[in-house]
Coordinates of all heavy atoms in Angstrom, one line a residue:
S108 N 11.2 5.4 -10.8 CA 10.6 6.3 -11.9 C 9.1 6.4 -11.8 O 8.5 7.4 -12.0 CB 11.1 5.8 -13.3 OG 10.5 6.5 -14.3
N109 N 8.5 5.2 -11.6 CA 7.0 5.2 -11.5 C 6.5 5.9 -10.3 O 5.5 6.6 -10.4 CB 6.5 3.7 -11.5 CG 6.7 3.0 -12.8 OD1 6.7 3.7 -13.9 ND2 6.7 1.7 -12.8
I110 N 7.2 5.8 -9.2 CA 6.7 6.6 -8.0 C 6.9 8.1 -8.2 O 5.9 8.8 -7.9 CB 7.5 6.1 -6.7 CG1 7.2 4.7 -6.4 CG2 7.3 7.1 -5.6 CD1 8.1 4.1 -5.3
V111 N 8.0 8.5 -8.7 CA 8.2 10.0 -9.0 C 7.1 10.4 -10.0 O 6.5 11.5 -9.8 CB 9.6 10.3 -9.5 CG1 9.7 11.7 -10.0 CG2 10.6 10.0 -8.4
S112 N 6.9 9.7 -11.0 CA 5.9 10.0 -12.0 C 4.5 10.1 -11.4 O 3.7 11.1 -11.7 CB 5.9 9.0 -13.2 OG 4.9 9.3 -14.1
S113 N 4.1 9.2 -10.5 CA 2.8 9.2 -10.0 C 2.6 10.4 -9.0 O 1.5 10.8 -8.8 CB 2.5 7.9 -9.2 OG 3.2 7.8 -8.1
V114 N 3.7 10.8 -8.4 CA 3.6 12.0 -7.5 C 3.6 13.3 -8.2 O 2.8 14.2 -7.8 CB 4.7 11.9 -6.4 CG1 4.8 13.2 -5.6 CG2 4.6 10.7 -5.5
F115 N 4.3 13.4 -9.3 CA 4.5 14.8 -9.9 C 4.0 15.0 -11.3 O 3.8 16.1 -11.7 CB 6.0 15.1 -10.0 CG 6.7 15.3 -8.6 CD1 7.4 14.4 -8.0 CD2 6.5 16.5 -8.0 CE1 8.0 14.6 -6.8 CE2 7.1 16.8 -6.7 CZ 7.8 15.8 -6.1
E116 N 3.8 13.9 -12.1 CA 3.6 14.1 -13.5 C 2.2 13.8 -13.9 O 1.9 12.6 -14.2 CB 4.6 13.3 -14.3 CG 6.0 13.8 -14.1 CD 7.0 12.9 -14.7 OE1 6.7 11.9 -15.2 OE2 8.2 13.4 -14.7
N117 N 1.3 14.8 -14.0 CA 0.0 14.7 -14.7 C -0.8 13.5 -14.2 O -1.4 12.7 -14.9 CB 0.1 14.6 -16.2 CG 0.8 15.8 -16.7 OD1 0.6 16.9 -16.3 ND2 1.7 15.6 -17.7
T118 N -1.0 13.3 -12.9 CA -1.8 12.3 -12.2 C -2.7 13.0 -11.2 O -2.5 14.1 -10.8 CB -0.9 11.3 -11.6 OG1 -0.2 11.9 -10.5 CG2 0.1 10.7 -12.5
P119 N -3.6 12.3 -10.7 CA -4.5 12.8 -9.6 C -3.6 13.3 -8.4 O -3.9 14.3 -7.7 CB -5.4 11.7 -9.2 CG -5.5 10.8 -10.4 CD -4.2 11.0 -11.1
W120 N -2.5 12.6 -8.1 CA -1.6 13.0 -7.0 C -1.0 14.4 -7.3 O -0.8 15.1 -6.3 CB -0.5 12.0 -6.8 CG -1.0 10.6 -6.4 CD1 -1.1 9.5 -7.2 CD2 -1.4 10.2 -5.1 NE1 -1.6 8.5 -6.5 CE2 -1.8 8.9 -5.2 CE3 -1.5 10.9 -3.9 CZ2 -2.3 8.2 -4.1 CZ3 -2.0 10.2 -2.8 CH2 -2.4 8.9 -2.9
A121 N -0.7 14.7 -8.5 CA 0.0 15.9 -8.9 C -0.9 17.1 -8.5 O -0.4 18.1 -8.1 CB 0.3 16.0 -10.3
S122 N -2.2 17.0 -8.6 CA -3.1 18.2 -8.2 C -2.9 18.5 -6.8 O -3.1 19.6 -6.4 CB -4.5 17.9 -8.6 OG -5.0 16.8 -7.9
A123 N -2.7 17.5 -5.9 CA -2.5 17.7 -4.5 C -1.2 18.5 -4.2 O -1.1 19.2 -3.2 CB -2.6 16.4 -3.7
M124 N -0.3 18.3 -5.1 CA 1.0 19.0 -4.9 C 1.0 20.4 -5.3 O 1.9 21.2 -5.0 CB 2.1 18.2 -5.7 CG 2.3 16.8 -5.3 SD 2.5 16.7 -3.5 CE 3.9 17.7 -3.2
S125 N 0.0 20.9 -6.0 CA 0.1 22.2 -6.6 C 0.1 23.3 -5.5 O 0.6 24.4 -5.7 CB -1.1 22.5 -7.5 OG -2.3 22.3 -6.8
S126 N -0.4 23.0 -4.3 CA -0.3 24.0 -3.2 C 1.1 24.0 -2.6 O 1.4 25.0 -1.9 CB -1.3 23.6 -2.1 OG -1.0 22.3 -1.5
K127 N 1.9 23.0 -2.8 CA 3.2 23.0 -2.2 C 4.3 23.4 -3.2 O 5.4 23.8 -2.7 CB 3.6 21.6 -1.7 CG 2.6 21.1 -0.6 CD 3.0 19.7 -0.2 CE 2.0 19.3 0.9 NZ 1.6 18.0 0.9
F128 N 4.1 23.3 -4.5 CA 5.1 23.7 -5.5 C 4.5 24.6 -6.5 O 3.2 24.6 -6.7 CB 5.6 22.4 -6.1 CG 6.4 21.5 -5.2 CD1 5.8 20.4 -4.6 CD2 7.7 21.9 -4.8 CE1 6.5 19.6 -3.8 CE2 8.4 21.1 -3.9 CZ 7.8 19.9 -3.4
P129 N 5.3 25.3 -7.2 CA 4.7 26.3 -8.2 C 3.9 25.7 -9.3 O 3.1 26.3 -9.9 CB 6.0 27.0 -8.7 CG 7.1 26.6 -7.8 CD 6.7 25.4 -7.1
S130 N 4.1 24.4 -9.6 CA 3.4 23.8 -10.7 C 3.1 22.3 -10.3 O 3.8 21.8 -9.5 CB 4.2 23.8 -12.0 OG 3.7 23.0 -12.9
S131 N 2.1 21.7 -10.9 CA 1.8 20.3 -10.6 C 2.7 19.4 -11.3 O 2.6 18.2 -11.1 CB 0.4 20.0 -10.8 OG 0.1 20.2 -12.2
S132 N 3.5 19.8 -12.2 CA 4.4 19.0 -13.0 C 5.8 19.2 -12.7 O 6.3 20.3 -12.7 CB 4.2 19.2 -14.5 OG 5.1 18.6 -15.3
L133 N 6.5 18.1 -12.4 CA 8.0 18.2 -12.1 C 8.7 18.8 -13.3 O 9.7 19.5 -13.1 CB 8.5 16.8 -11.7 CG 9.9 16.7 -11.2 CD1 10.1 17.5 -9.9 CD2 10.3 15.2 -11.0
N134 N 8.3 18.5 -14.5 CA 9.0 19.0 -15.7 C 8.9 20.5 -15.8 O 9.8 21.1 -16.4 CB 8.3 18.4 -16.9 CG 8.7 16.9 -17.1 OD1 9.7 16.4 -16.5 ND2 7.9 16.2 -17.9
S135 N 7.9 21.1 -15.2 CA 7.8 22.6 -15.4 C 8.1 23.4 -14.1 O 7.8 24.5 -14.1 CB 6.5 22.9 -16.0 OG 5.4 22.5 -15.1

Side-chain angles (χ1 to χ4, degrees):
S108 177
N109 289 338
I110 291 170
V111 170
S112 177
S113 72
V114 172
F115 291 102
E116 296 172 351
N117 303 321
T118 66
W120 294 101
S122 63
M124 297 311 303
S125 62
S126 63
K127 296 179 180 144
F128 295 103
S130 169
S131 61
S132 169
L133 188 61
N134 285 342
S135 62

